[in-house]
């Protein structure tokens, strides 16, 4: 199983991963959070360093900072060229289709947060000595580049939401509800012994949204920033 998690900054992705793995066996559970490519990695095929981290049978891997950096953060911040971004959006659906057809169970989560809540969380990080380490130069520009990120998110969903590897949007203004419903979504879509009834595992539709429904929502409100939840 593989969970790919992308997000708006301060959307609660890291906290959700922490809750997921809290009671899992560390022998077959891994969190992959790759740093900026080094000099050698920057010359490799973009997906190369991610491929080496894919799960084997019985393993569960959480990608914190996924290859979808190239769809949003990198083009907005100027860390990749337009050509690299376009090639990524064209190639990634084919790669994910190969992985899914080979038996990997893939979950692609995008954690959405409203602009107002994101601002509140950034302010909290600035004031809390235990959270200040979370702030980065990219985070500091997140509010300024809000609209650019919204457009990149729309493009990413439009180009990479496929039946074989669909996106699932998690509304995360309320972190606790986001975490619980993200877990419900995974459990609902997995087969295992002593599985709870469907009514107990069915996620809240106001929190867990399909990639298709999110695209429709964005198409309706893309020109109304105050109504856009990204």
């Amino acid at each position: 199983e593989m969970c790919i998690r992308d997000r708006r900054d301060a959307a609660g992705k890291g906290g959700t991963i922490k809750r997921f793995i809290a009671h899992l066996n560390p022998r077959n559970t891994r969190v992959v959070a790759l740093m900026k490519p080094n000099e050698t990695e920057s010359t490799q095929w973009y997906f190369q360093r991610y491929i080496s981290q894919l799960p084997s049978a019985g393993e569960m891997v959480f990608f914190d900072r996924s290859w979808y950096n190239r769809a949003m953060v990198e083009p907005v911040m100027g860390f990749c060229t337009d050509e690299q971004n376009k090639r990524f959006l064209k190639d990634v659906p084919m790669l994910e289709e190969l992985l899914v057809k080979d038996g990997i169970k893939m979950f692609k989560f995008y954690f959405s947060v409203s602009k107002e809540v994101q601002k509140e969380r950034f302010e909290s990080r600035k004031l809390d000595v235990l959270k200040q380490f979370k702030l980065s130069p990219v985070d500091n520009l997140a509010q300024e580049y809000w609209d650019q990120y919204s457009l990149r998110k729309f493009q990413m969903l439009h180009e990479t939401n496929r039946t074989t590897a669909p996106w699932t949007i998690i509304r995360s203004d309320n972190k606790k509800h986001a975490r619980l419903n993200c877990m419900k979504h995974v459990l609902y879509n997995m087969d295992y012994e002593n599985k709870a009834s469907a009514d107990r595992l069915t996620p809240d539709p106001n929190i867990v949204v399909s990639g298709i429904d999110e695209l429709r929502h964005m198409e309706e409100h893309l020109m109304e920033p105050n109504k856009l939840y990204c």
Side-chain angles (χ1 to χ4, degrees):
E1 178 182 343
M2 176 169 66
C3 294
I4 293 179
R5 299 173 187 272
D6 225 283
R7 80 292 181 223
R8 281 282 189 172
D9 295 313
K13 169 181 57 62
T16 301
I17 292 176
K18 185 185 297 183
R19 270 63 177 190
F20 256 98
I21 68 174
H23 302 291
L24 296 177
N25 189 332
R27 293 180 179 178
N28 51 28
T29 305
R30 289 188 286 120
V31 177
V32 177
L34 300 180
M35 303 296 290
K36 177 182 176 181
N38 58 36
E39 186 175 345
T40 300
E41 290 172 334
S42 63
T43 67
Q44 297 173 345
W45 177 46
Y46 177 70
F47 296 102
Q48 192 165 333
R49 65 192 190 127
Y50 293 98
I51 296 299
S52 64
Q53 301 291 341
L54 293 177
S56 301
E59 284 189 321
M60 183 182 295
V61 176
F62 295 84
F63 279 89
D64 183 343
R65 297 193 189 124
S66 73
W67 48 55
Y68 279 98
N69 271 354
R70 181 138 293 183
M72 290 189 65
V73 175
E74 290 189 13
V76 170
M77 298 303 297
F79 297 157
C80 73
T81 66
D82 287 341
E83 177 59 29
Q84 288 173 324
N85 169 249
K86 291 176 182 177
R87 188 164 65 247
F88 168 82
L89 292 173
K90 181 180 179 181
D91 292 346
V92 71
M94 293 186 289
L95 172 65
E96 292 175 352
E97 183 177 1
L98 290 174
L99 298 178
V100 172
K101 287 185 175 180
D102 200 51
I104 291 178
K105 185 72 174 179
M106 180 183 296
F107 292 92
K108 288 162 50 177
F109 292 112
Y110 184 96
F111 280 69
S112 284
V113 64
S114 62
K115 190 174 184 180
E116 295 75 16
V117 171
Q118 185 191 63
K119 183 178 180 180
E120 291 174 4
R121 291 177 183 173
F122 281 150
E123 292 300 321
S124 174
R125 290 180 180 184
K126 291 177 182 178
L127 299 174
D128 191 333
V129 295
L130 298 178
K131 296 180 179 179
Q132 289 175 356
F133 74 94
K134 292 184 176 182
L135 285 172
S136 70
V138 173
D139 293 336
N140 291 330
L141 293 171
Q143 289 271 300
E144 180 181 344
Y145 291 163
W146 182 268
D147 292 341
Q148 290 94 317
Y149 277 117
S150 296
L151 290 171
R152 292 292 181 177
K153 175 190 174 184
F154 180 83
Q155 181 186 37
M156 178 186 75
L157 292 178
H158 186 268
E159 298 292 338
T160 67
N161 188 72
R162 298 290 185 269
T163 304
T164 52
W167 278 102
T168 299
I169 314 302
I170 306 293
R171 303 261 192 251
S172 60
D173 273 2
N174 184 308
K175 290 184 178 181
K176 182 177 181 180
H177 291 171
R179 292 164 183 165
L180 289 173
N181 280 276
C182 187
M183 291 179 182
K184 281 185 176 183
H185 178 81
V186 172
L187 294 173
Y188 183 87
N189 287 282
M190 295 293 290
D191 293 324
Y192 54 93
E193 293 182 4
N194 301 318
K195 185 174 180 177
S197 59
D199 59 319
R200 292 185 60 190
L201 296 179
T202 301
D204 184 341
N206 294 313
I207 296 176
V208 179
V209 182
S210 71
I212 292 176
D213 287 340
E214 184 75 349
L215 276 170
R216 291 170 181 159
H217 169 77
M218 296 190 74
E219 287 174 345
E220 292 173 0
H221 300 297
L222 202 54
M223 302 307 294
E224 304 174 74
N226 292 334
K227 295 183 179 180
L228 191 58
Y229 197 121
C230 290

